[in-house]
Amino acid sequence: MISRNMAYKFDFALEILAPSLVFVAVNCSVWFAIYDYNSLDTLNGFTLEEMLNYQAWNLVVTYMIRSHRSSSLSDDIRLGKITSFLVYPFEFWRYYYSSYFGFQMIQVIVAIITILVLYSLGLITNLSPSSIINGFLFSLSVGVLWCTLEFLAGTAAFWLEETWVFRYVLELTAVLLSGAIIPITFFPEMLQKILVYTPFPYLGSIPIQIFSGTYENDILLAYFSIIIWISIFSYITKIVWKKGVNLYTGAGM
Amino acid sequence: MRYRLLHYYSVFYQNCLNATAKLLSFRVNFILSFIVEFSSAVIAYTTIAFIFNHINQLGSWDRDHFMLFASWMQSILCLHTTIGAPNFWNFSDELQNGKLDFRLLRPIGSLFDAFTAIIRPSSAVVFPLHLAIFAYFACQVGLSWVSWIIALPLLILAFLILLLTELVVALFMFWTIQGDGINFLRMQGQQLQKWPDFIYPTPIRSIFTFFFPLLIPGSFSIMFLLNPGEIKYLIIMLFIFVILILLVSYQWKLGLRRYESASS
């Protein structure tokens, strides 16, 4: 999986680097302008340095969590490629998750390089080894949840011709509600209260706090919540997959 | 010339009809596309709303100005998603599998054919929503009657400049093995364009205004709408438009020389 992803190196570099550079340019510029034009020392409890720090960790978390595998799943279903997997002596989800983790290995390396670059630029100020290790471990766990959500979105290909819509809506919703664009504390209070009962903060806000060493709650509780969410969505995915396979007609057999 | 324009118009019109017929055949896809466009719009506006819950002004602009800019930019991007965006991905595929050959053989400009072949009318469904939001905030900031008159042609000009800047990026696909990376790069430009140019530090602003005019379609057009007396914004837009047309035509010719069909 690593070699497949790295086969087109220029393409790979653009897919990884372009969003990061633009992300840093846009987010840092916007927040810098907000603080600078209004001569603010703090905004909603964040100093400018803390906000830039938040955005920098946000980039690392994005690498670690929100990668895209379901596009290939929907193609595999639509084009009948899963037929061969159905007769192999291992289940398709094993292949899917192992290819996800293969890709994550590259993402971990990219994330480490990103941390070093952002640290040297002064955008990350607090590099505590325990926070970094905790952050990586927690992000990898959340990555499993994201992978499961993407798998679920990809199974829509059993019923629909085009499934990019589900992936896109999932991505958009996750980006906004996880606090990837603006921290969750900037949201209206009512929305903040509702988000506590959803998996969205785990896709952005909480891993960022763990990486930056500002997470105040019990980390074991956070792991427990992630396991619960993974279990719930895995169960739903299993049911949907079974129903989908029952409908499936292997094109190209 | 008139006959030629009519010929191109009739092809484009036929493409629109085909796309609409296809859209009506796949209603679920239509509804899903609508959900995507609507979600994008909600996120664009709520992001600004959330930020302006905590501040009153950003530079000389307040919430209404930012919402006006957001609705203007969303309208441009909506046109782009309807007419431009699907063709960039299709072009990448056609370059790889050699289907571009068929376009080169048709009795019409191949650049025009390659980038207007696919139209996604479902994305245009939210266009009236953006226009309504634009109209509301235009009233709030007190847009002059001149601005109201020039708004539509200016929107089309801004859209064309956006399309041409993306074409400049996309045509580099002729020199790469896969086009996905270039398409990702192209899409990142839209993230930059979603904010007015004055929020960027001078080096970034200069690069994306004068060297590669990504910030021109949104920022310059809205500046001109807010100050119709500042004719320099319109002149620069028209100048950039002409330069981009020449650049894209030259790049297309160079690219075709480099193109080796996968199917032949």
Side-chain angles (χ1 to χ4, degrees), chain A:
Chain A
M1 181 48 62
I2 294 173
S3 51
R4 188 193 295 177
N5 280 304
M6 301 289 283
Y8 300 104
K9 291 180 183 63
F10 180 68
D11 240 48
F12 176 77
L14 281 182
E15 282 181 36
I16 296 291
L17 290 179
S20 324
L21 290 173
V22 171
F23 177 89
V24 170
V26 174
N27 279 26
C28 290
S29 299
V30 168
W31 288 108
F32 195 83
I34 288 171
Y35 280 84
D36 191 41
Y37 279 117
N38 292 289
S39 306
L40 295 168
D41 291 325
T42 59
L43 180 60
N44 207 25
F46 283 86
T47 62
L48 175 61
E49 189 185 312
E50 285 167 345
M51 183 58 81
L52 295 179
N53 200 37
Y54 181 93
Q55 297 299 337
W57 283 119
N58 188 11
L59 176 61
V60 176
V61 166
T62 304
Y63 280 134
M64 293 293 300
I65 295 174
R66 293 197 298 274
S67 63
H68 302 283
R69 296 294 317 144
S70 66
S71 56
S72 65
L73 170 66
S74 49
D75 283 347
D76 289 346
I77 294 172
R78 208 160 49 83
L79 303 173
K81 290 182 187 169
I82 64 158
T83 309
S84 50
F85 287 97
L86 296 177
V87 292
Y88 284 168
F90 60 89
E91 290 168 280
F92 181 77
W93 68 268
R94 288 178 199 273
Y95 164 75
Y96 180 85
Y97 277 82
S98 57
S99 64
Y100 171 80
F101 282 112
F103 188 69
Q104 282 309 92
M105 283 172 70
I106 304 170
Q107 295 287 78
V108 169
I109 296 165
V110 174
I112 292 169
I113 295 168
T114 307
I115 290 172
L116 295 174
V117 171
L118 293 173
Y119 182 71
S120 64
L121 291 173
L123 288 170
I124 288 176
T125 47
N126 179 24
L127 263 189
S128 142
S130 62
S131 302
I132 300 275
I133 293 167
N134 271 333
F136 270 107
L137 290 175
F138 190 75
S139 298
L140 285 171
S141 317
V142 179
V144 178
L145 172 64
W146 180 252
C147 179
T148 309
L149 288 171
E150 283 233 303
F151 191 100
L152 184 59
T155 53
F158 282 120
W159 290 271
L160 296 168
E161 189 72 17
E162 287 188 56
T163 59
W164 64 272
V165 173
F166 291 102
R167 295 199 308 275
Y168 195 69
V169 170
L170 177 67
E171 172 79 19
L172 281 180
T173 316
V175 164
L176 179 71
L177 298 181
S178 68
I181 302 175
I182 40 179
I184 290 177
T185 51
F186 279 71
F187 293 2
E189 264 187 45
M190 187 65 179
L191 183 57
Q192 287 183 46
K193 283 178 185 167
I194 294 169
L195 283 176
V196 173
Y197 302 102
T198 69
F200 292 112
Y202 296 94
L203 299 172
S205 181
I206 292 175
I208 291 170
Q209 289 173 41
I210 293 172
F211 264 120
S212 57
T214 56
Y215 188 64
E216 288 167 350
N217 298 332
D218 188 355
I219 197 163
L220 288 176
L221 199 64
Y223 272 109
F224 180 70
S225 305
I226 276 296
I227 291 167
I228 297 285
W229 282 116
I230 291 171
S231 308
I232 291 170
F233 283 107
S234 299
Y235 182 68
I236 296 169
T237 306
K238 196 177 171 184
I239 293 171
V240 175
W241 175 261
K242 272 189 178 174
K243 283 188 183 293
V245 168
N246 285 340
L247 279 176
Y248 176 72
T249 311
M253 280 289 278

Side-chain angles (χ1 to χ4, degrees), chain B residues 32-245:
Chain B
L32 293 174
S33 298
F34 173 74
I35 292 169
V36 167
E37 297 304 326
F38 189 72
S39 311
S40 297
V42 167
I43 286 175
Y45 296 122
T46 48
T47 302
I48 291 171
F50 285 173
I51 288 175
F52 275 91
N53 279 342
H54 300 274
I55 55 171
N56 295 321
Q57 279 211 304
L58 186 47
S60 57
W61 283 14
D62 58 14
R63 179 198 295 257
D64 293 342
H65 286 90
F66 263 88
M67 283 296 195
L68 181 76
F69 176 82
S71 58
W72 179 255
M73 204 57 228
Q74 287 296 316
S75 306
I76 297 171
L77 290 174
C78 188
L79 284 177
H80 179 268
T81 316
T82 306
I83 301 166
N87 294 294
F88 288 99
W89 292 98
N90 187 51
F91 177 64
S92 162
D93 287 342
E94 291 192 346
L95 264 180
Q96 262 200 311
N97 57 30
K99 283 186 184 169
L100 189 68
D101 298 8
F102 300 113
R103 299 206 181 279
L104 302 177
L105 296 172
R106 288 177 189 166
I108 193 166
S110 47
L111 179 62
F112 173 85
D113 189 34
F115 288 93
T116 55
I118 301 177
I119 291 162
R120 198 188 282 155
S122 55
S123 302
V125 175
V126 288
F127 190 63
L129 171 76
H130 295 310
L131 287 188
I133 294 172
F134 173 80
Y136 174 78
F137 286 103
C139 293
Q140 296 298 307
V141 301
L143 224 57
S144 68
W145 63 270
V146 181
S147 302
W148 282 102
I149 293 169
I150 58 172
L152 187 61
L154 201 62
L155 183 75
I156 294 167
L157 177 64
F159 158 66
L160 290 174
I161 293 175
L162 171 69
L163 197 64
L164 287 165
T165 50
E166 293 206 350
L167 271 173
V168 171
V169 178
L171 292 184
F172 281 105
M173 284 182 211
F174 277 117
W175 287 268
T176 59
I177 297 168
Q178 267 206 330
D180 289 356
I182 298 275
N183 266 324
F184 268 96
L185 182 68
R186 177 185 62 75
M187 284 165 67
Q188 293 311 311
Q190 293 174 10
Q191 299 305 318
L192 277 169
Q193 291 165 330
K194 284 180 180 168
W195 294 92
D197 61 355
F198 66 81
I199 69 123
Y200 295 107
T202 312
I204 296 179
R205 193 167 60 224
S206 305
I207 290 170
F208 291 113
T209 303
F210 302 111
F211 181 67
F212 194 69
L214 278 177
L215 296 174
I216 298 259
S219 294
F220 275 46
S221 54
I222 206 77
M223 294 291 190
F224 185 57
L225 277 183
L226 289 169
N227 310 291
E230 297 266 6
I231 200 82
K232 67 177 180 192
Y233 291 116
L234 181 64
I235 293 170
I236 292 174
M237 284 178 77
L238 289 170
F239 176 73
I240 293 285
F241 177 62
V242 175
I243 294 288
L244 284 172
I245 287 178

